[in-house]
Amino acid sequence: MKKPHNNHNFIEYIMTLLDLPENRDTDIADLFANDGQASQGSGSLSAAYEMIQFMDEMPGGFLIYHADGEEQIIYANKALLRIFGCDSLRDFRDLTGNSFKGIVHEEDLATVEASIHEQIATSQYDLDYVEYRITRKDGTVRWVEDYGHFIHSASMGDIFYVFISDTTEEKEIINQEHLRRLEVIEGLSINYESILFADLDENKITPYRLSSRTRRQFDYKYKACGFLWYISDYVNTWVYPEDRERVLNATSPEYIKKKLSENKTYYINYRIIMEGRIQFLHLRIVNVGSPNHISQIVMGYRRIDEEILREVEQKQILEDALSSANLAIVAKNAFLSNMSHDMRTPLNAIFGYTALAKNHIEDQQLTNRYLDEIDLSSHQLLDLIDKVLEIAWTESNDIRIAELECNLIDIMQEIYDSLYPLTVDKNISFSLSHIELKHPDVYSDPDRLRQLLQYLINNAIKYTKNDGKVDLSIQELDDHSNDHAVYQFVVQDTGIGISEEFLDHIFEPFEREKNTTLSNIHGAGLGLTIAKSIANMMGGDIKVSSAVDEGSTFTVTLRLRIQANPVPHTVNTARSGSYEDLTGRRILLVEDNEINLEIETEILKSTGFLIETAEDGSIAVEMIKNSKPGYYSLVLMDIQMPIMNGYQAASAIRRLEDPDLAHIPIIALSANAFESDKQMSYESGMDEHLTKPIDIPMLLETISRILLC
Ligand code: ADP
């Protein structure tokens, strides 16, 4: 270490003073006495002495030591002694072996000395800066900062004087901050298998974390390479050929800088080939340097095979949903076109036969036949509307299954009786049997049960050719437990049968094996859907077996609660009641539609009733209120009317002061045919709810049941 010679006279005085032993005060006095004549020198000596006192009191640590040989310590000020936890210079010399080497922690010494050496050799001003650990007298380890200056003196040899400050706390704060940042990076990058730091300007790349696969690769190839080489080699080795250009573009320094100047981060998904298989990767690039000058970035890689797979599955689910929605649309369109056809057929007949009847009005026999045809077509139309309503009902939540006392034999007999006429025309042999019916008296919903079986028997008759056979049977299965029993209702025919393929779809709405045009059999493909829904709602099921041209068997299985003490039942004879008994009774007909009013008035008058009319609910309430009790026997109430509807009118009547007037029987007669409509009629105080178009026998039967009971 050859340095230019300086004239350090003043420093030499200091050094002389410092070279004195520890209890230097007496020696200093001698020194001053000996030097008393040298006026030039004594001024410098006292200035040096003051300088030492000044150095002693400096707030930061200050050290002077010989740069050569053993790097012996010449001077340490009080602040430095405090840094080392020493009480005196002697202590300090003991602790450090009186050498700079003894100041530096042994693990840092080699690096520190090399660094000082290098810095002084290259520094214009002979300055150096180093950081290292020290060990205090109490054994604790601290971090210090060391700013040194090298001086060459001819008389004293080379020396260093050094400012030292304790930076342990700051270092800890910095370390903690660094750790916190690493934790944040670690946390955010948890999903990334490999993370690399890159400096675009310096064309450097350093791994932060690597997957085991990439680590092998990195060690072997990329360790000593630059960013550009790494990217080009990586893309050409791993990336799927079709994606290479895209990845190269998205990872070029120009593109990265452009993208990251707009956003702090961006990503690219691409495919790689790994172990002969395509894998999907996600590369995210984040700016971790200055936002104004983009150069330092982090690149995170992760595999996204599962996400892509999930995306593909999701897409498949959506496609399936779309195709089933399309199928539903197709089915509905087919249904509407069927419906349109099925509605137009009877309507056409009604229009046609009405025109014919008008033209042949004088020919009573012919007119009667035309009227019969009109009647049949009207019923077909009504049947279609009923089924559509029924479907809407089963699809809604408006479903209540009653638990009423009923007798299964009676129900079967009623169904048999009502459908028997249909079999006569086709010469179909129709039988009813019950097998081991030990408990015919049960709790069930007789209307729903009737409806369900009617759909099946109707079909059996409809799809069986002339001279065929339809058998209806009910059987109680052995396995009844406690107060319940299992019943099987079987409808068997020798009809056209059902193909195996169609059996899979038979209960789906709007499905028919052959449409009306092909089969010439009227239908909408809704009956079995409704029947199945009813069976399910009653807690049961329907099974079907069939063979084409041989026939079909529909089996309904229901578990019903049996009546513990059934009352001997009597067949309801209301149907056979005579309406003559009602002749002369006065009915208040509440109806706003003129056509309905005319038809209903004529029908009721022709059966002997006296009819008065009201055009809306409020008029009806006034008429009842102002009448004498008994003047009106019954009210037939429409529901949808202006001013006051049927529900409001019925409840207003029920609230009349005169109890006789308030209790007059009221029957709703409405086009509102939903179950909820019926329920509202009952809740507003009406006795019955009948639907339009009017079923005249049903209306008369209901009126007579109410008035005669
Ligand atoms: P619709 O009879 O109004 O067409 P359904 O839902 O009652 O509607 O029946 C659906 C289809 O099932 C019918 O169109 C017919 O193809 C077939 N089907 C139902 N019952 C029978 C049966 N007993 N014999 C043959 N085919 C039947």
Side-chain angles (χ1 to χ4, degrees):
M1 203 187 299
K2 265 276 156 259
K3 288 274 123 190
H5 177 265
N6 293 320
N7 184 4
H8 292 293
N9 217 1
F10 175 63
I11 292 176
E12 277 165 19
Y13 269 109
I14 293 176
M15 298 305 294
T16 314
L17 286 171
L18 292 178
D19 264 350
L20 294 174
E22 191 97 347
N23 51 350
R24 55 190 178 224
D25 287 353
T26 45
D27 300 311
I28 288 173
D30 290 348
L31 193 66
F32 274 103
N34 294 340
D35 202 50
Q37 280 74 33
S39 58
Q40 223 186 348
S42 67
S44 295
L45 185 64
S46 63
Y49 181 66
E50 277 171 27
M51 188 64 193
I52 290 172
Q53 282 183 322
F54 169 75
M55 291 190 305
D56 263 347
E57 298 309 321
M58 275 194 323
F62 185 65
L63 173 78
I64 304 174
Y65 68 92
H66 289 285
D68 35 25
E70 283 306 299
E71 299 182 335
Q72 206 182 355
I73 290 169
I74 301 167
Y75 167 74
N77 75 349
K78 287 181 183 166
L80 191 70
L81 301 189
R82 282 198 294 276
I83 291 175
F84 281 79
C86 293
D87 300 328
S88 63
L89 193 60
R90 185 181 301 279
D91 253 8
F92 179 69
R93 288 188 202 280
D94 288 348
L95 177 70
T96 57
N98 200 27
S99 158
F100 177 72
K101 291 185 204 306
I103 286 181
V104 183
H105 193 285
E106 59 180 2
E107 285 176 17
D108 298 344
L109 185 63
T111 336
V112 167
E113 294 216 304
S115 173
I116 294 173
H117 191 271
E118 191 188 333
Q119 289 182 57
I120 298 298
T122 55
S123 164
Q124 194 184 345
Y125 305 106
D126 297 337
L127 298 174
D128 72 83
Y129 166 79
V130 277
E131 277 180 276
Y132 49 85
R133 286 168 292 172
I134 59 156
T135 309
R136 281 162 58 102
K137 191 180 161 193
D138 63 5
T140 52
V141 174
R142 312 279 296 176
W143 276 95
V144 295
E145 258 178 5
D146 166 325
Y147 291 91
H149 184 204
F150 172 81
I151 294 175
H152 176 73
S153 154
S155 55
M156 299 175 324
D158 297 338
I159 58 163
F160 266 110
Y161 65 88
V162 181
F163 293 94
I164 292 179
S165 54
D166 188 327
T167 55
T168 312
E169 268 79 36
E170 289 154 41
K171 192 112 184 144
E172 261 169 19
I173 292 170
I174 293 168
N175 276 347
Q176 277 169 6
E177 179 60 20
H178 186 64
L179 273 176
R180 202 183 60 77
R181 282 192 186 172
L182 285 181
E183 275 167 15
V184 170
I185 294 178
E186 188 72 24
L188 290 177
S189 62
I190 197 111
N191 290 326
Y192 290 86
E193 291 176 2
S194 301
I195 296 172
L196 306 174
F197 283 112
D199 192 317
L200 303 178
D201 288 351
E202 301 205 352
N203 190 26
K204 276 190 182 157
I205 185 140
T206 334
Y208 167 70
R209 188 172 70 215
L210 295 176
S211 68
S212 51
R213 171 169 44 90
T214 329
R215 175 161 304 143
R216 263 180 276 128
Q217 202 57 32
F218 218 92
D219 281 352
Y220 144 72
K221 263 187 169 181
Y222 305 129
K223 208 166 183 181
C225 73
F227 171 78
L228 291 173
W229 193 88
Y230 158 76
I231 285 290
S232 117
D233 187 71
Y234 168 81
V235 171
N236 289 314
T237 313
W238 296 106
V239 177
Y240 188 67
E242 277 180 28
D243 294 349
R244 278 182 193 161
E245 200 178 324
R246 196 163 53 85
V247 179
L248 273 178
N249 286 339
T251 51
S252 72
E254 302 72 47
Y255 186 85
I256 295 175
K257 287 184 178 186
K258 183 174 159 291
K259 276 301 249 188
L260 294 183
S261 63
E262 295 159 3
N263 279 310
K264 199 169 164 56
T265 170
Y266 73 95
Y267 71 88
I268 172 174
N269 291 342
Y270 56 94
R271 290 163 291 181
I272 57 164
I273 306 186
M274 180 70 70
E275 290 148 8
R277 251 175 9 93
I278 289 185
Q279 296 180 358
F280 291 88
L281 276 204
H282 172 94
L283 164 62
R284 180 166 287 281
I285 300 182
V286 186
N287 178 21
V288 289
S290 153
N292 305 322
H293 180 82
I294 288 139
S295 177
Q296 291 171 334
I297 57 164
V298 167
M299 305 167 77
Y301 296 81
R302 75 183 157 90
R303 281 183 49 184
I304 48 166
D305 304 59
E306 275 182 21
E307 288 162 43
I308 296 276
L309 220 70
R310 235 179 292 137
E311 249 173 54
V312 170
E313 275 171 14
Q314 207 67 31
K315 206 167 145 216
Q316 190 60 44
I317 290 171
L318 287 176
E319 273 172 13
D320 289 352
L322 183 68
S323 82
S324 32
N326 285 340
L327 274 179
I329 291 169
V330 169
K332 276 193 182 162
N333 285 343
F335 162 71
L336 285 175
S337 109
N338 255 346
M339 262 256 300
S340 162
H341 177 272
D342 291 351
M343 284 176 97
R344 275 166 203 281
T345 313
L347 267 176
N348 199 31
I350 293 169
F351 283 126
Y353 285 120
T354 309
L356 284 174
K358 274 185 192 162
N359 288 346
H360 298 93
I361 201 80
E362 65 296 333
D363 184 339
Q364 176 114 41
Q365 207 183 350
L366 209 52
T367 310
N368 275 343
R369 195 173 78 73
Y370 294 150
L371 289 177
D372 282 347
E373 292 292 349
I374 291 171
D375 194 37
L376 179 75
S377 301
S378 310
H379 277 97
Q380 278 181 4
L381 207 52
L382 184 63
D383 174 58
L384 191 63
I385 292 167
D386 278 348
K387 279 186 177 152
V388 173
L389 277 182
E390 197 68 33
I391 280 281
W393 173 77
T394 53
E395 282 177 359
S396 78
N397 291 328
D398 182 27
I399 299 161
R400 272 175 233 196
I401 296 293
E403 257 229 330
L404 304 173
E405 285 181 0
C406 51
N407 179 283
L408 293 176
I409 298 176
D410 283 356
I411 292 175
M412 298 298 276
Q413 191 62 49
E414 278 166 36
I415 300 172
Y416 179 87
D417 291 347
S418 69
L419 294 178
Y420 179 76
L422 300 181
T423 60
V424 175
D425 285 351
K426 293 177 82 173
N427 195 30
I428 287 173
S429 130
F430 188 27
S431 73
L432 167 65
S433 56
H434 5 99
I435 308 155
E436 294 172 15
L437 207 55
K438 284 184 233 149
H439 304 96
D441 294 294
V442 293
Y443 292 94
S444 184
D445 189 326
D447 287 345
R448 292 286 159 208
L449 183 57
R450 230 176 264 127
Q451 197 184 7
L452 154 60
L453 294 173
Q454 266 166 354
Y455 279 125
L456 301 183
I457 303 163
N458 239 322
N459 277 351
I461 299 170
K462 207 159 74 168
Y463 296 104
T464 298
K465 292 190 182 130
N466 288 1
D467 309 323
K469 221 162 128 2
V470 173
D471 294 322
L472 170 61
S473 69
I474 174 171
Q475 181 176 9
E476 183 176 330
L477 298 186
D478 263 350
D479 61 347
H480 67 87
S481 57
N482 297 331
D483 52 352
H484 282 72
V486 176
Y487 298 88
Q488 273 196 340
F489 305 81
V490 181
V491 181
Q492 193 166 22
D493 66 55
T494 57
I496 61 171
I498 302 155
S499 70
E500 228 175 284
E501 304 82 67
F502 187 66
L503 275 180
D504 291 339
H505 306 284
I506 196 157
F507 294 111
E508 290 169 19
F510 322 126
E511 293 287 347
R512 304 193 72 202
E513 188 154 23
K514 287 182 186 150
N515 67 23
T516 307
T517 318
L518 280 178
S519 64
N520 213 15
I521 300 173
H522 172 83
L526 295 174
L528 288 182
T529 313
I530 301 169
K532 176 109 175 156
S533 298
I534 296 174
N536 292 159
M537 280 185 283
M538 295 177 84
D541 198 13
I542 306 182
K543 293 261 176 301
V544 53
S545 63
S546 184
V548 175
D549 290 334
E550 286 179 25
S552 314
T553 305
F554 287 80
T555 306
V556 178
T557 310
L558 292 179
R559 188 167 179 271
L560 301 172
R561 185 153 72 93
I562 49 189
Q563 291 180 40
N565 302 304
V567 188
H569 68 281
T570 49
V571 177
N572 187 353
T573 52
R575 197 173 268 278
S576 54
S578 87
Y579 310 129
E580 282 85 69
D581 304 342
L582 303 172
T583 307
R585 299 283 191 113
R586 186 172 284 100
I587 291 178
L588 176 60
L589 180 60
V590 192
E591 172 66 76
D592 66 319
N593 181 295
E594 275 179 36
I595 299 172
N596 286 349
L597 197 66
E598 187 182 341
I599 295 170
E600 288 160 17
T601 307
E602 284 314 312
I603 291 170
L604 292 165
K605 273 188 178 166
S606 69
T607 47
F609 289 109
L610 301 174
I611 303 297
E612 287 187 20
T613 62
E615 284 150 38
D616 75 69
S618 66
I619 300 173
V621 176
E622 281 307 301
M623 288 171 76
I624 297 288
K625 191 173 158 190
N626 298 329
S627 67
K628 281 205 181 100
Y631 177 76
Y632 295 111
S633 302
L634 183 133
V635 180
L636 281 178
M637 183 76 82
D638 184 24
I639 300 291
Q640 285 185 19
M641 289 181 292
I643 305 175
M644 183 186 271
N645 70 28
Y647 303 131
Q648 294 164 329
S651 50
I653 292 172
R654 293 291 178 243
R655 288 197 306 271
L656 289 177
E657 267 177 33
D658 185 324
D660 289 334
L661 293 177
H663 285 107
I664 186 165
I666 308 175
I667 298 175
L669 203 56
S670 164
N672 297 5
F674 276 110
E675 196 59 27
S676 56
D677 300 319
K678 278 188 189 171
Q679 206 52 44
M680 278 167 71
S681 292
Y682 295 135
E683 279 165 15
S684 61
M686 293 194 253
D687 301 281
E688 273 297 347
H689 180 107
L690 299 180
T691 52
K692 290 177 188 169
I694 304 172
D695 176 341
I696 297 161
M698 169 81 90
L699 173 64
L700 295 177
E701 180 198 317
T702 309
I703 293 176
S704 65
R705 178 161 48 80
I706 288 177
L707 293 184
L708 297 176
C709 72

